[in-house]
Amino acid sequence: MIHIINGNKTYNSYEVKKEALRDVDFHIGAGEFVAIMGTSGSGKSTLLHILGCMDRLSSGQYLFGETDISKLGVNEWHDFRREHISFVFQNFALINQYTVRENIMIPLKANHVAKTERVRRVNQVAKMLGIEDILNKLPPHISGGQQQRTAIARAIVGDNELLLCDEPTGALDKKTGIEVMEILREIHKGGKTIVVVTHDAEIAEYADRIVRIEDGVLFENPMQ
Amino acid sequence: MSVFSIAWDSICAHRHSFFVAVLMCTFAAFLSSVVIANAVSFSEKEKKYSDSVISDHEKTLLVKPLYPDTSSSFFDGWSRFLFEMNRVNECEQSGSFFRSVIYSEDENGIKPGTEKMVLLCIDEGICNLGKAFANGENSKLVSDGKSIPILAGHTYAKEYPVGSSFTCRGETYVVVGSLPKDAEWIPEEGISNNKDAYSVERCFVTFTDYLEAHPYYGLNGAYVILQDNANVENAKKLLKEHAKTCGIDISVQTIDSYLSGVIRAKQNSERDFLKELSVIFLVCIITVSAGNIATILLRKREIGILYSCGYSRRDILMSLIAEAGFKAVICIVLWYMVSLLSARRGWYDVWAIASDSKGIFLILLICLVVALFAVTTLYSGIYLVRKKPIEMLEDCG
Ligand SMILES: Nc1ncnc2c1ncn2[C@@H]1O[C@H](COP(=O)(O)OP(=O)(O)OP(=O)(O)O)[C@@H](O)[C@H]1O
Ligand SMILES: [Mg+2]
């Protein structure tokens, strides 16, 4: 489903050139559960942002299904992300002033889903993730695990085919982290393509396939 | 519709900062309207004042007391020119200000203290008198509402017979009666005999009376303006001599030099006004812009999240504009309501919006506020949506 062909990403900020990705060739099939592992600063987030249409390659090609993402104009690029990709951020990226319910609703509003349908979908995913009773609370008033569930609920409520998770367990303790991975596995069983970034080998075990990235270079590395 | 619902969501979520921003902007708008109101009322009063000097009476001499106390004005420090102008009005209103006209029909010139030389005091006393009559407090003398009824002093009786009228400083006075010698008018009692009567209710006194009244009112001198004619030097000399014998400090000036002084003062005050106006507008512009830009840019992370969750650039920009629209409307309505309330309490000239002055200023000010909101919202909104989502989420990992 996804192909990155000869992808390079160079950051030019602060007058310093930083090659965050170098000649990356990467393929993800539909319905796969992939883990990207690597040390800090190796380029994991950079790769995920490019996959998620949050950032662009400096050179190379990014194909998503039939679409050549690298050739899309700005608005089409954003529309494509809205229709196909969901993101779970390392630090949850919840809006603190919105309730859990409103946070989960954001992608539905962005897609102009009708109100009754919105409410139904939110209740459905909240039930699935076990957060029905905190829907009216604000993110600062709930636990880290609940915040991560909220972030995941927000990512899956729109029913997009690709789910990208940047260190979904990074801010959680071991037990809660494992719970979150179990949830992701459930979601994967429902037919979604999932990419998880992590530096924790135990967490990566949950994926079907593990790739390693070192200093911007990608290594396919099936099961150590 | 959904743009408004996005905007409404974010207003509800940020109600505190929204409230603060609205108050800031309202305050800035008020500040500007205060200056405009003062400027308008200033220039109108100023105009009336100089017009009357120029045209009302051909043989006009103006006598003004020197102000004994200039530090009492509460406008002091607010602005030099407002201080100057409001001091005049304030003194007029307090009744301690005599702006007086001396009539002389004598071709040979002016002789202070003679029966020919009389002083007409136009002051609060007369106005009160007029109002008292208008209210029917003295059944003999009722105002028709258009003119102010006055009593002529005994030295005037022939010059201003009952029924005659004149205008001074834009107001029409009708002589409805005359006071006998050594008499005064007291609101509750009517005309009464009183040899020492120098109260403000006494409308017509001789120049001698006036000079004698000076210490009584705590005034330290008089300021006399002479109309330029052949006798001006003679009049000056006489007045000076008279002042010496009375022990009062009298400044004498010709009408030409007085008028050029008025014009100069007007130009100076206009320049000062422009300076103040620009400072206040700058304050208004900075407050509104800073408030609006800050409330948008400080929400970079939130907008980045909305953006990365699928909101389109158009949705975000339009919702920001809708939000600024809410803000501007609330700000203008608040401003208008407070202004009306203050007008009901009688502070007409404080707020341009409530004063009887030009509506154009009000419209200009509303346009300014709306334009500021529009420009700053567009500026900060476009600045944000031109970024890649990940740049807005930089602090989100
Ligand atoms: N906006 C940027 N400007 C310049 N350099 C950047 C930028 N973002 C990332 N980099 C650099 O690119 C490299 C890869 O960054 P990236 O965030 O992808 O690493 P990571 O593998 O996600 O690390 P971590 O595990 O710490 O999150 C790093 O050396 C980083 O300093
Ligand atoms: Mg990272």
Side-chain angles (χ1 to χ4, degrees):
Chain A
M1 180 171 82
I2 290 172
H3 290 272
I4 289 185
I5 301 156
N6 212 3
N8 284 284
K9 176 69 188 178
T10 312
Y11 291 112
N12 286 319
S13 48
Y14 314 115
E15 316 264 315
V16 186
K17 260 196 171 175
K18 170 75 200 176
E19 290 184 11
L21 294 179
R22 281 186 253 181
D23 296 331
V24 169
D25 283 304
F26 191 26
H27 169 255
I28 303 172
E32 252 193 304
F33 190 164
V34 182
I36 302 174
M37 285 190 70
T39 51
S40 191
S42 53
K44 306 184 295 288
S45 297
T46 306
L47 179 57
L48 207 66
H49 294 153
I50 285 164
L51 287 175
C53 294
M54 308 274 267
D55 207 346
R56 300 244 200 200
L57 281 173
S58 306
S59 71
Q61 213 178 10
Y62 173 15
L63 298 173
F64 191 115
E66 305 285 282
T67 318
D68 187 347
I69 303 290
S70 350
K71 293 219 170 77
L72 293 182
V74 179
N75 288 328
E76 294 158 326
W77 191 53
H78 288 302
D79 291 345
F80 191 86
R81 186 181 60 242
R82 173 170 58 245
E83 282 154 27
H84 299 277
I85 301 164
S86 300
F87 224 99
V88 177
F89 295 91
Q90 185 165 354
N91 61 358
F92 321 131
L94 299 174
I95 298 174
N96 288 341
Q97 292 86 357
Y98 285 25
T99 61
V100 167
R101 184 195 306 280
E102 286 163 345
N103 267 291
I104 298 175
M105 248 182 218
I106 294 170
L108 299 178
K109 284 202 171 171
N111 278 311
H112 305 286
V113 174
K115 190 167 180 198
T116 46
E117 175 66 5
R118 271 194 328 240
V119 172
R120 194 187 66 76
R121 297 261 285 271
V122 169
N123 289 338
Q124 189 189 347
V125 293
K127 200 167 165 214
M128 180 178 158
L129 292 167
I131 49 171
E132 306 110 297
D133 44 345
I134 55 162
L135 281 179
N136 292 322
K137 292 195 177 177
L138 295 174
H141 301 157
I142 60 178
S143 73
Q146 288 170 327
Q147 292 189 29
Q148 190 61 290
R149 283 158 194 262
T150 306
I152 293 173
R154 185 179 63 188
I156 62 173
V157 75
D159 212 18
N160 291 345
E161 58 235 66
L162 177 62
L163 177 60
L164 303 171
C165 308
D166 194 351
E167 309 256 9
T169 61
L172 305 177
D173 61 54
K174 195 114 202 153
K175 183 169 159 285
T176 328
I178 286 169
E179 277 171 26
V180 165
M181 289 315 290
E182 292 289 351
I183 291 167
L184 288 181
R185 192 143 71 180
E186 282 304 308
I187 294 166
H188 175 237
K189 277 185 193 154
K192 285 203 194 310
T193 309
I194 300 184
V195 180
V196 174
V197 158
T198 182
H199 55 258
D200 186 336
E202 213 171 310
I203 295 298
E205 289 300 315
Y206 281 83
D208 304 340
R209 176 159 73 106
I210 299 176
V211 294
R212 296 197 154 269
I213 185 163
E214 263 163 46
D215 207 9
V217 183
L218 198 73
F219 301 97
E220 290 282 346
N221 184 8
M223 297 305 148
Q224 296 167 304
Chain B
M1 264 335 278
S2 111
V3 161
F4 288 107
S5 88
I6 299 167
W8 185 246
D9 283 354
S10 101
I11 288 173
C12 292
H14 298 277
R15 50 197 174 278
H16 300 300
S17 65
F18 183 81
F19 181 67
V20 170
V22 163
L23 282 192
M24 261 167 78
C25 298
T26 308
F27 173 71
F30 273 146
L31 219 57
S32 327
S33 72
V34 171
V35 175
I36 289 174
N38 275 307
V40 170
S41 66
F42 157 71
S43 63
E44 278 174 5
K45 280 169 190 156
E46 231 274 349
K47 193 166 169 295
K48 256 189 204 167
Y49 182 59
S50 50
D51 282 356
S52 70
V53 174
I54 297 163
S55 64
D56 260 9
H57 291 280
E58 234 174 74
K59 292 184 179 179
T60 297
L61 294 172
L62 219 76
V63 178
K64 297 198 292 182
L66 299 176
Y67 301 106
D69 176 17
T70 53
S71 64
S72 68
S73 170
F74 61 87
F75 280 102
D76 202 0
W78 163 237
S79 101
R80 187 74 203 151
F81 91 93
L82 286 181
F83 173 76
E84 285 292 327
M85 293 318 294
N86 280 296
R87 190 177 66 182
V88 171
N89 301 325
E90 201 187 321
C91 290
E92 272 183 70
Q93 280 156 18
S94 73
S96 66
F97 178 76
F98 284 73
R99 193 186 296 154
S100 314
V101 189
I102 300 172
Y103 294 92
S104 172
E105 296 177 343
D106 192 341
E107 287 296 307
N108 295 324
I110 300 137
K111 296 190 187 88
T114 66
E115 285 298 297
K116 288 274 182 192
M117 193 65 222
V118 288
L119 188 77
L120 168 62
C121 297
I122 309 289
D123 59 40
E124 180 75 353
I126 287 182
C127 298
N128 283 344
L129 193 61
K131 280 173 201 149
F133 290 148
N135 293 339
E137 282 174 35
N138 187 323
S139 53
K140 275 203 282 181
L141 310 162
V142 180
S143 166
D144 58 1
K146 284 179 205 137
S147 52
I148 299 170
I150 54 168
L151 300 169
H154 71 283
T155 52
Y156 264 74
K158 266 186 228 148
E159 205 174 325
Y160 284 97
V162 175
S164 66
S165 67
F166 63 94
T167 57
C168 185
R169 297 201 294 134
E171 298 195 282
T172 308
Y173 295 85
V174 175
V175 181
V176 291
S178 61
L179 285 167
K181 197 172 188 316
D182 295 333
E184 68 174 335
W185 187 87
I186 299 165
E188 285 82 8
E189 294 170 325
I191 295 164
S192 76
N193 247 16
N194 180 6
K195 235 181 173 338
D196 305 321
Y198 293 116
S199 74
V200 283
E201 281 85 10
R202 183 157 184 183
C203 5
F204 291 79
V205 292
T206 63
F207 188 65
T208 321
D209 285 342
Y210 174 69
L211 293 174
E212 280 173 16
H214 258 148
Y216 179 87
Y217 289 110
L219 304 170
N220 56 5
Y223 183 68
V224 180
I225 296 164
L226 300 173
Q227 190 187 3
D228 263 318
N229 58 35
N231 293 308
V232 71
E233 285 310 316
N234 192 27
K236 268 188 187 175
K237 219 173 89 195
L238 281 167
L239 280 167
K240 284 261 157 78
E241 268 169 25
H242 200 87
K244 221 179 272 172
T245 52
C246 294
I248 288 167
D249 175 22
I250 298 185
S251 317
V252 186
Q253 209 183 347
T254 62
I255 192 127
D256 278 347
S257 73
Y258 171 73
L259 285 181
S260 65
V262 167
I263 290 163
R264 214 171 29 246
K266 198 173 168 172
Q267 285 166 347
N268 285 347
S269 59
E270 266 169 11
R271 203 190 49 220
D272 287 354
F273 165 67
L274 280 178
K275 273 189 214 156
E276 301 213 351
L277 193 68
S278 47
V279 169
I280 296 288
F281 271 175
L282 218 65
V283 170
C284 177
I285 287 169
I286 291 173
T287 313
V288 173
S289 315
N292 202 34
I293 291 180
T295 49
I296 292 173
L297 290 189
L298 283 177
R299 275 158 46 198
K300 180 173 132 185
R301 176 179 178 272
E302 174 193 335
I303 292 169
I305 292 171
L306 294 177
Y307 205 11
S308 60
C309 286
Y311 276 73
S312 69
R313 305 206 301 172
R314 190 185 153 276
D315 281 347
I316 288 173
L317 207 55
M318 294 304 284
S319 76
L320 286 178
I321 288 171
E323 201 181 317
F326 277 127
K327 218 183 280 176
V329 166
I330 294 177
C331 161
I332 287 166
V333 167
L334 251 180
W335 164 29
Y336 191 68
M337 274 179 356
V338 177
S339 300
L340 286 186
L341 279 179
S342 69
R344 277 180 72 107
R345 295 212 41 189
W347 306 334
Y348 295 104
D349 282 342
V350 178
W351 315 115
I353 197 164
S355 122
D356 53 353
S357 58
K358 321 270 182 301
I360 185 80
F361 286 113
L362 167 60
I363 292 164
L364 280 177
L365 213 57
I366 290 179
C367 291
L368 177 76
V369 172
V370 170
L372 279 178
F373 271 110
V375 168
T376 52
T377 304
L378 279 175
Y379 167 76
S380 40
I382 289 174
Y383 169 77
L384 281 185
V385 299
R386 282 170 68 100
K387 288 179 173 295
K388 290 177 197 152
I390 200 61
E391 289 171 329
M392 281 198 259
L393 288 169
E394 251 157 17
D395 48 343
C396 302

